[in-house]
Coordinates of all heavy atoms in Angstrom, one line a residue:
A39 N 6.0 -10.2 0.9 CA 4.8 -10.8 1.3 C 5.0 -12.3 1.4 O 5.7 -12.9 0.7 CB 3.7 -10.5 0.3
S40 N 4.3 -12.8 2.5 CA 4.4 -14.3 2.6 C 3.0 -14.7 3.1 O 2.3 -14.0 3.7 CB 5.3 -14.8 3.7 OG 5.0 -14.2 5.0
G41 N 2.6 -15.9 2.6 CA 1.4 -16.5 2.9 C 0.2 -16.1 2.0 O -0.9 -16.5 2.3
F42 N 0.5 -15.4 1.0 CA -0.6 -15.0 0.0 C 0.0 -14.7 -1.3 O 1.1 -14.3 -1.5 CB -1.5 -13.8 0.6 CG -0.7 -12.6 0.8 CD1 -0.9 -11.6 -0.2 CD2 0.0 -12.3 1.8 CE1 -0.2 -10.4 0.0 CE2 0.6 -11.1 2.1 CZ 0.5 -10.1 1.0
N43 N -0.9 -14.7 -2.3 CA -0.5 -14.4 -3.7 C -0.8 -12.9 -4.0 O -1.9 -12.4 -3.7 CB -1.3 -15.3 -4.6 CG -0.9 -15.2 -6.1 OD1 -0.4 -14.2 -6.5 ND2 -1.0 -16.3 -6.8
L44 N 0.2 -12.2 -4.4 CA 0.0 -10.8 -4.7 C -1.1 -10.5 -5.8 O -1.7 -9.4 -5.8 CB 1.3 -10.2 -5.2 CG 2.4 -10.1 -4.2 CD1 3.7 -9.4 -4.8 CD2 2.0 -9.3 -2.9
D45 N -1.4 -11.5 -6.6 CA -2.4 -11.3 -7.6 C -3.8 -11.1 -7.0 O -4.6 -10.4 -7.7 CB -2.5 -12.5 -8.5 CG -1.4 -12.5 -9.5 OD1 -0.6 -11.6 -9.7 OD2 -1.1 -13.7 -10.0
Y46 N -4.0 -11.4 -5.9 CA -5.3 -11.4 -5.2 C -5.5 -10.1 -4.3 O -6.6 -9.9 -3.7 CB -5.6 -12.6 -4.5 CG -5.5 -13.8 -5.2 CD1 -5.2 -15.1 -4.6 CD2 -5.8 -14.0 -6.6 CE1 -5.1 -16.2 -5.4 CE2 -5.6 -15.1 -7.3 CZ -5.4 -16.3 -6.7 OH -5.2 -17.4 -7.4
Y47 N -4.4 -9.4 -4.0 CA -4.4 -8.3 -3.1 C -3.9 -7.1 -3.6 O -3.1 -7.0 -4.6 CB -3.6 -8.7 -1.9 CG -4.1 -9.8 -1.0 CD1 -4.0 -11.2 -1.4 CD2 -4.9 -9.5 0.1 CE1 -4.5 -12.1 -0.6 CE2 -5.5 -10.4 1.0 CZ -5.3 -11.7 0.6 OH -5.8 -12.7 1.4
A48 N -4.4 -6.0 -3.1 CA -3.8 -4.6 -3.3 C -2.9 -4.4 -2.2 O -3.1 -4.8 -1.0 CB -4.9 -3.6 -3.3
I49 N -1.6 -3.8 -2.5 CA -0.7 -3.5 -1.6 C -0.5 -2.0 -1.5 O -0.3 -1.4 -2.6 CB 0.7 -4.1 -1.9 CG1 0.5 -5.6 -1.9 CG2 1.8 -3.8 -0.9 CD1 0.1 -6.3 -0.7
G50 N -0.5 -1.4 -0.3 CA -0.4 0.0 -0.2 C 0.8 0.4 0.6 O 1.2 -0.4 1.5
W51 N 1.4 1.5 0.4 CA 2.4 2.1 1.2 C 1.8 3.3 1.9 O 1.2 4.1 1.3 CB 3.6 2.5 0.4 CG 4.5 1.5 -0.1 CD1 4.6 0.9 -1.3 CD2 5.6 0.8 0.7 NE1 5.5 -0.1 -1.3 CE2 6.2 -0.2 0.0 CE3 6.0 1.0 2.0 CZ2 7.2 -1.0 0.4 CZ3 7.0 0.2 2.5 CH2 7.6 -0.8 1.7
F52 N 2.0 3.4 3.2 CA 1.5 4.4 4.1 C 2.8 4.9 4.9 O 3.7 4.3 5.0 CB 0.5 4.0 5.0 CG -0.8 3.5 4.2 CD1 -0.8 2.1 3.8 CD2 -1.9 4.2 4.0 CE1 -1.9 1.6 3.0 CE2 -3.0 3.8 3.4 CZ -3.0 2.5 2.9
R53 N 2.6 6.2 5.4 CA 3.6 6.7 6.2 C 3.1 7.5 7.4 O 1.9 8.1 7.2 CB 4.6 7.6 5.4 CG 4.0 8.8 4.8 CD 5.0 9.5 3.8 NE 4.5 10.7 3.3 CZ 5.0 11.4 2.5 NH1 6.3 11.1 1.9 NH2 4.5 12.6 1.9
Q54 N 3.8 7.6 8.5 CA 3.4 8.4 9.5 C 4.6 9.1 10.1 O 5.5 8.5 10.5 CB 2.7 7.6 10.6 CG 2.1 8.3 11.8 CD 1.2 7.5 12.6 OE1 1.3 6.3 12.7 NE2 0.3 8.2 13.3
A55 N 4.5 10.4 10.2 CA 5.6 11.2 10.7 C 5.2 11.7 12.1 O 4.0 11.7 12.5 CB 5.8 12.5 9.8
P56 N 6.2 12.0 12.9 CA 5.9 12.5 14.2 C 5.0 13.6 14.3 O 5.2 14.6 13.5 CB 7.3 12.8 14.8 CG 8.2 12.0 14.0 CD 7.7 11.9 12.6
G57 N 4.0 13.5 15.1 CA 3.0 14.6 15.2 C 2.0 14.7 14.1 O 1.2 15.6 14.1
K58 N 2.0 13.8 13.2 CA 1.1 13.7 12.1 C 0.3 12.4 11.9 O 0.7 11.4 12.5 CB 1.8 13.9 10.7 CG 2.4 15.3 10.7 CD 3.1 15.5 9.3 CE 3.8 16.9 9.1 NZ 4.3 17.0 7.7
E59 N -0.8 12.4 11.4 CA -1.6 11.3 11.2 C -1.1 10.5 10.0 O -0.3 11.0 9.1 CB -3.1 11.7 10.9 CG -3.7 12.2 12.1 CD -5.2 12.4 12.0 OE1 -5.7 12.1 10.9 OE2 -5.9 12.6 13.0
R60 N -1.4 9.2 9.9 CA -0.9 8.4 8.9 C -1.6 8.8 7.6 O -2.8 9.2 7.5 CB -1.4 6.9 9.2 CG -0.8 5.9 8.2 CD -1.4 4.5 8.5 NE -2.9 4.5 8.3 CZ -3.7 3.5 8.9 NH1 -3.2 2.7 9.6 NH2 -4.9 3.6 8.6
E61 N -0.8 8.8 6.5 CA -1.2 9.1 5.2 C -0.8 8.1 4.1 O 0.2 7.4 4.3 CB -0.7 10.5 4.7 CG 0.9 10.6 4.6 CD 1.3 11.9 4.1 OE1 0.5 12.6 3.3 OE2 2.5 12.2 4.3
G62 N -1.7 7.9 3.2 CA -1.4 7.0 2.1 C -0.4 7.6 1.1 O -0.5 8.8 0.9
V63 N 0.4 6.8 0.6 CA 1.5 7.2 -0.3 C 1.2 6.6 -1.7 O 1.2 7.3 -2.7 CB 2.9 6.8 0.2 CG1 4.0 7.1 -0.8 CG2 3.2 7.4 1.6
S64 N 1.0 5.4 -1.8 CA 0.9 4.7 -3.1 C 0.4 3.4 -2.9 O 0.5 2.8 -1.8 CB 2.2 4.7 -3.8 OG 2.1 4.0 -5.1
C65 N -0.2 2.8 -3.9 CA -0.8 1.5 -3.9 C -0.8 0.8 -5.2 O -0.6 1.5 -6.2 CB -2.2 1.4 -3.3 SG -3.5 2.2 -4.3
I66 N -0.8 -0.5 -5.2 CA -0.7 -1.2 -6.5 C -1.6 -2.5 -6.4 O -1.6 -3.2 -5.3 CB 0.8 -1.6 -6.8 CG1 0.8 -2.2 -8.2 CG2 1.4 -2.5 -5.8 CD1 2.3 -2.3 -8.7
S67 N -2.2 -2.8 -7.4 CA -3.0 -4.0 -7.6 C -2.8 -4.6 -8.9 O -2.0 -4.0 -9.8 CB -4.4 -3.7 -7.3 OG -5.1 -3.1 -8.3
S68 N -3.4 -5.7 -9.2 CA -3.3 -6.3 -10.6 C -3.9 -5.4 -11.6 O -3.7 -5.6 -12.8 CB -4.0 -7.6 -10.6 OG -5.4 -7.5 -10.3
S69 N -4.7 -4.4 -11.2 CA -5.3 -3.5 -12.2 C -4.7 -2.2 -12.4 O -5.1 -1.4 -13.2 CB -6.8 -3.2 -11.8 OG -7.5 -4.4 -11.7
G70 N -3.6 -1.9 -11.6 CA -2.9 -0.6 -11.8 C -2.3 -0.1 -10.5 O -2.4 -0.8 -9.4
D71 N -2.0 1.1 -10.5 CA -1.4 1.7 -9.2 C -2.0 3.2 -9.0 O -2.6 3.7 -10.0 CB 0.2 1.8 -9.3 CG 0.7 2.3 -10.6 OD1 0.0 3.2 -11.2 OD2 1.7 1.8 -11.0
S72 N -1.7 3.8 -7.9 CA -2.1 5.0 -7.6 C -1.1 5.7 -6.7 O -0.4 5.0 -6.0 CB -3.5 5.0 -6.9 OG -4.0 6.2 -6.6
Y73 N -1.1 7.1 -6.7 CA -0.2 7.8 -5.8 C -0.9 9.0 -5.2 O -1.7 9.7 -5.8 CB 1.0 8.3 -6.7 CG 1.8 7.3 -7.4 CD1 1.4 6.9 -8.7 CD2 2.9 6.8 -6.8 CE1 2.2 5.8 -9.2 CE2 3.8 5.8 -7.3 CZ 3.3 5.3 -8.6 OH 4.1 4.3 -9.2

């Protein structure tokens, strides 16, 4: 990340496979994470 402080944002990982819609994988914020 550039241009911002991670403390203020949630960051998510998403993926998209051929022929499929995008799906959420995991996210993290200052308050915790999710999968």
Side-chain angles (χ1 to χ4, degrees):
S40 64
F42 64 98
N43 190 327
L44 292 181
D45 289 340
Y46 305 151
Y47 289 83
I49 304 295
W51 283 100
F52 300 81
R53 65 187 182 186
Q54 187 165 25
K58 296 183 178 180
E59 295 189 349
R60 186 184 67 200
E61 64 174 336
V63 176
S64 182
C65 64
I66 188 168
S67 73
S68 61
S69 298
D71 51 33
S72 183
Y73 299 88

